[in-house]
Amino acid sequence: MEKGRTVVVSALQFACTDDVSTNVATAERLVRAAHKQGANIILIQELFEGYYFCQAQREEFIQRAKPHKDHPTILRMQKLAKELGVVIPVSFFEEANNAHYNSTAIIDADGTDLGIYRKSHIPDGPGYEEKFYFNPGDTGFKVFQTKFAKVGVAICWDQWFPEAARAMVLQGAEILFYPTAIGSEPHDGSIDSRDHWKRVMQGHAGANLVPLVASNRIGKEMIETEHGKSEITFYGNSFIAGPTGEIVSIADDKEEAVLIAQFDLDNIKSMRHCWGVFRDRRPDLYKVLLTLDGNNPVQ
């Protein structure tokens, strides 16, 4: 059989400090480690420049946002991507005039910034108070043609919505990437979502017959809030799933990690087409998905 188009993907996992330079240096070190293992597309976790500040609603944390243009971390990752010949999605807190977004810039293997995706689904619960900081994303779900593959990138809470994954694959995404920051629930220590979190994304991979890469942070982070101290222990478990939802590489909940997996995209494309789930779709019956209450379409 003729050899297909292969790509090597990587998910990084590390504990963040609240110092930008330290975290960016860690990310670069792990990107270089992934490249040494043959990675072509390397995913860094969500908002890796510092602590996950959304545990609290604090005015000074809004000052962490920077415009997309000339963003220092993105510029550094562009230089690194060009040097190594790798693709790097870069998560950052974006300021756009008076709006703010949880965004990812997709850097191609020649250092080109291919554009941004802005997080569509914004959570608001104890310890994950993102609506205070982020406007709902306005880019829609996008696919980026990189040197190695057409990729779809969504962000953290987006990963719980099957519509997002399907929308990206319908547009031609061959691999899905989800930078993430998720861990314990500050209001209820008995809640452990890690297995649920993995199974949902494994379902996206299997339902769409594409590989999926999820990168999450580790470590314990404490933030002073308006109600006292809040603490999250991030559970890592970064993983790479294959096109039937099988986990092919996974990290634990405590250790820094560089995960690697190789996929033959042409073989996967053939399998996806033969399986028939895209052939047999019935968009004419899915209009209910355009409603909130099952009846009235959202205008």
Side-chain angles (χ1 to χ4, degrees):
M1 181 180 293
E2 184 178 347
K3 185 177 180 181
R5 188 165 47 99
T6 60
V7 62
V8 179
V9 298
S10 177
L12 308 184
Q13 173 175 295
F14 59 93
C16 290
T17 70
D18 208 28
D19 177 73
V20 174
S21 61
T22 299
N23 296 323
V24 173
T26 298
E28 177 170 335
R29 172 172 58 83
L30 295 179
V31 166
R32 291 184 181 279
H35 170 256
K36 285 184 179 179
Q37 296 182 58
N40 305 125
I41 308 175
I42 304 168
L43 182 64
I44 311 170
Q45 61 216 30
E46 181 187 19
L47 298 173
F48 64 90
E49 289 184 297
Y51 278 167
Y52 178 73
F53 53 85
C54 306
Q55 288 195 62
Q57 297 185 17
R58 286 170 50 181
E59 181 179 345
E60 64 266 30
F61 287 161
I62 297 176
Q63 306 307 315
R64 299 184 178 210
K66 294 182 177 65
H68 175 209
K69 181 177 172 59
D70 297 325
H71 190 291
T73 297
I74 295 174
L75 292 175
R76 180 166 173 176
M77 291 299 158
Q78 285 184 261
K79 182 179 179 181
L80 181 63
K82 183 176 182 179
E83 176 193 341
L84 301 180
V86 298
V87 174
I88 311 174
V90 182
S91 172
F92 70 106
F93 184 11
E94 181 193 3
E95 177 185 280
N97 295 321
N98 289 304
H100 296 83
Y101 299 98
N102 186 337
S103 300
T104 298
I106 289 70
I107 310 305
D108 207 356
D110 62 356
T112 300
D113 186 336
L114 298 178
I116 59 172
Y117 165 72
R118 291 169 170 165
K119 187 174 182 175
S120 300
H121 303 95
I122 310 298
D124 186 29
Y128 300 89
E129 300 175 25
E130 295 195 14
K131 280 185 166 64
F132 182 78
Y133 297 99
F134 307 130
N135 294 81
D138 58 0
T139 58
F141 302 109
K142 299 173 69 174
V143 171
F144 299 86
Q145 177 66 68
T146 73
K147 176 181 179 180
F148 302 106
K150 292 181 181 178
V151 303
V153 180
I155 302 169
C156 201
W157 191 228
D158 289 330
Q159 66 209 175
W160 295 87
F161 296 84
E163 299 90 343
R166 178 54 54 91
M168 291 185 284
V169 179
L170 282 173
Q171 295 176 79
E174 298 173 290
I175 313 171
L176 299 178
F177 292 85
Y178 290 93
T180 303
I182 190 170
S184 59
E185 303 291 335
H187 68 292
D188 187 345
S190 69
I191 298 174
D192 184 349
S193 63
R194 73 186 71 192
D195 291 334
H196 186 186
W197 173 76
K198 287 180 284 190
R199 286 192 295 264
V200 167
M201 284 186 283
Q202 288 176 258
H204 299 335
N208 292 286
L209 288 98
V210 293
L212 184 150
V213 183
S215 171
N216 189 24
R217 65 177 66 193
I218 51 172
K220 185 179 293 186
E221 298 181 12
M222 184 178 293
I223 298 286
E224 289 285 349
T225 79
E226 61 276 25
H227 305 299
K229 292 181 179 179
S230 178
E231 183 178 280
I232 295 177
T233 300
F234 293 91
Y235 53 59
N237 276 251
S238 301
F239 71 94
I240 301 171
T244 65
E246 75 282 16
I247 290 181
V248 298
S249 186
I250 188 166
D252 65 17
D253 61 354
K254 292 181 175 63
E255 299 298 324
E256 189 174 277
V258 175
L259 305 181
I260 300 287
Q262 178 173 296
F263 297 102
D264 184 323
L265 297 182
D266 287 337
N267 282 350
I268 293 172
K269 177 181 179 181
S270 178
M271 179 178 69
R272 183 167 59 247
H273 290 179
C274 291
W275 200 247
V277 293
F278 287 92
R279 179 197 63 210
D280 296 336
R281 291 183 68 252
R282 292 292 306 278
D284 54 312
L285 302 180
Y286 304 155
K287 293 181 177 59
V288 68
L289 295 179
L290 300 178
T291 73
L292 291 173
D293 63 0
N295 293 298
N296 300 305
V298 175
Q299 300 300 319

